[in-house]
Amino acid sequence: MRAGMVAMDDTRRLRFHWSLSAVGDAKRRGEAQEAMSGAFDLATHTEFCRAAESCGIESLLMAFGFTRPDPFTWSAALGSRTEKINFLTAIRSGVCSPTLFVQQVNTLSVVTGGRVYINIVAGRAPGEQRYYGDFLDHDERYERTDEFWQICHALWRGDGPVDFTGRHYRVEGARINTPFRSAERDRPKIYLGGNSEQAVGLAIRHADCLLTFPEAPKQLAERIRPVLDAGKKVGLLVSMIAKPTRDEAVAAAAELVAKAGDGARQVHRNARGGTDSVGFRSMYDTAENGSAWVTPYLWTGAVPYLGPPAISLVGSATDLVEAIFEYRDVGVTEFLFTGFPDLAQMRFFAAEILPRVRERERASMPTA
């Protein structure tokens, strides 16, 4: 067993998700937020959702922010036009009451037949937080989010009328008569995004899976150990630049940065100054101050131009399969991808990478 490896159940399948954040807007990642439109094309997103269903993708991230459509409304619209795909719908505490939130989630589960997951986001840009009336700092937002999820879980457990008094929330006799509808669960699967110590603690207490930015497997293993020890899963938020050969992938990565240009770089210099997210700051710092190649396959070169989610796995299908299993060896079992461009990369993943992943999983299963 290699250093940093954890004991794994080899019968547990890896799970793959995709972000809908930039689908249909290829220039989005390099634009100033003020220039972004939140009016996505429903037909384009519906087509992508149906492609994701055929590509073996488990869920699609429905991100939250003033540059995007409301994730609940958009998930309901897309859910009515699809059959299998789950919607990883983002929520920030502080935007609505936990009781109303549970009612919204449960309603969405009725509309989609239970195809709703939740992405907990504490917030990363104080300026944008204030658009929504939220003036708390980083640590206070995590404290509030902890209270929010105590109430949500009590409602999903059916603890009876829920009473709660905290620093940020107070409810009395709370109940919801709209049930969560799913053949598999009595509440949504919950993913928490973050890199900070507060995010780790919150994931352990309230989530099923921590979604975090990648780093070299050995370093990542140390950071995620408490989450795995608590019996929770870990997933990576990472982009994909995959081509038939490594040389082609590296060339595509270089072309991506060249096309983004100095304007995009200035956009993200400004963004770096406006975030208090530990994960976003660490990604910007890593990209600016270290080697662009964290490992032979993990590349930060696009981060200064397209933002922290542009940290990428780069290489051939064989390279990316190896990378995925190196992360699996240290306990990562879920991946949330974005692509350049998304549809072409998702189809390449489905045709060239996913079959090799599943074959390798089958080969590792213990015989009867």
Side-chain angles (χ1 to χ4, degrees):
M1 182 177 287
R2 292 197 295 270
M5 287 179 63
V6 296
M8 296 284 295
D9 175 8
D10 286 340
T11 65
R12 186 165 57 179
R13 287 163 63 90
L14 294 166
R15 297 176 180 273
F16 299 100
H17 316 266
W18 212 276
S19 175
L20 205 61
S21 297
V23 171
D25 188 359
K27 298 180 180 179
R28 186 179 186 84
R29 297 178 176 100
E31 291 180 325
Q33 285 195 320
E34 291 74 14
M36 296 179 185
S37 171
F40 286 101
D41 182 68
L42 182 59
T44 299
H45 276 200
T46 299
E47 178 186 3
F48 189 89
C49 290
R50 291 172 179 167
E53 289 181 325
S54 66
C55 286
I57 301 302
E58 180 166 335
S59 78
L60 293 170
L61 174 64
M62 316 296 288
F64 183 100
F66 80 101
T67 65
R68 310 176 186 283
D70 170 68
F72 279 100
T73 305
W74 207 237
S75 296
L78 292 170
S80 68
R81 290 162 169 80
T82 53
E83 298 179 357
K84 297 185 296 183
I85 197 74
N86 295 286
F87 297 95
L88 180 52
T89 306
I91 176 64
R92 292 180 189 168
S93 64
V95 175
C96 69
S97 80
T99 309
L100 174 60
F101 167 72
V102 170
Q103 186 176 19
Q104 290 175 316
V105 172
N106 290 3
T107 302
L108 184 57
S109 79
V110 174
V111 171
T112 63
R115 292 183 288 129
V116 52
Y117 298 168
I118 296 299
N119 175 212
I120 308 172
V121 183
R124 59 178 175 82
E128 189 201 10
Q129 298 288 129
R130 291 192 284 271
Y131 296 177
Y132 294 90
D134 182 1
F135 291 84
L136 299 187
D137 64 24
H138 177 275
D139 292 355
E140 288 177 315
R141 293 200 302 269
Y142 274 96
E143 179 184 83
R144 178 184 60 199
T145 303
D146 183 83
E147 292 186 5
F148 185 93
W149 282 94
Q150 289 182 57
I151 298 168
C152 292
H153 281 296
L155 288 167
W156 277 315
R157 285 194 304 267
D159 286 351
V162 175
D163 295 317
F164 182 91
T165 301
R167 180 182 175 191
H168 303 282
Y169 293 103
R170 178 181 176 184
V171 300
E172 293 182 358
R175 67 177 74 211
I176 294 294
N177 286 356
T178 304
F180 185 84
R181 289 279 177 82
S182 170
E184 301 173 355
R185 298 175 297 275
D186 56 7
R187 63 161 176 79
K189 192 173 179 181
I190 298 169
Y191 292 77
L192 184 133
N195 278 50
S196 66
E197 292 182 5
Q198 292 95 331
V200 168
L202 205 62
I204 290 170
R205 290 191 295 277
H206 298 299
D208 300 294
C209 179
L210 172 70
L211 283 175
T212 190
F213 288 127
E215 53 191 308
K218 184 176 180 180
Q219 285 69 46
L220 180 68
E222 297 174 1
R223 181 159 60 85
I224 65 176
R225 172 65 64 179
V227 182
L228 298 173
D229 287 346
K232 304 302 177 77
K233 295 182 179 180
V234 173
L236 295 185
L237 171 58
V238 63
S239 290
M240 175 186 295
I241 304 175
K243 296 290 182 181
T245 69
R246 175 173 175 77
D247 287 347
E248 289 176 276
V250 171
E255 182 181 4
L256 181 69
V257 168
K259 284 185 176 179
D262 291 338
R265 186 158 192 155
Q266 186 57 52
V267 164
H268 285 283
R269 286 195 184 104
N270 297 338
R272 166 65 177 82
T275 184
D276 61 359
S277 162
V278 171
F280 271 64
R281 283 185 170 179
S282 67
M283 283 294 100
Y284 279 125
D285 291 346
T286 297
E288 294 285 1
N289 301 323
S291 168
W293 292 97
V294 179
T295 73
Y297 50 78
L298 185 63
W299 180 66
T300 66
V303 170
Y305 300 85
L306 300 174
I311 185 169
S312 303
L313 296 178
V314 180
S316 67
T318 299
D319 294 329
L320 265 66
V321 170
E322 290 302 319
I324 287 168
F325 277 87
E326 282 195 33
Y327 282 113
R328 183 181 185 270
D329 284 346
V330 300
V332 173
T333 53
E334 308 213 18
F335 293 82
L336 172 57
F337 287 122
T338 62
F340 301 103
D342 282 294
L343 184 57
Q345 285 292 275
M346 185 173 69
R347 285 177 169 160
F348 184 90
F349 169 79
E352 303 295 336
I353 297 173
L354 186 56
R356 302 182 195 197
V357 167
R358 297 305 184 209
E359 178 59 33
R360 190 157 166 176
E361 285 180 320
R362 286 191 292 271
S364 68
M365 291 175 62
T367 56

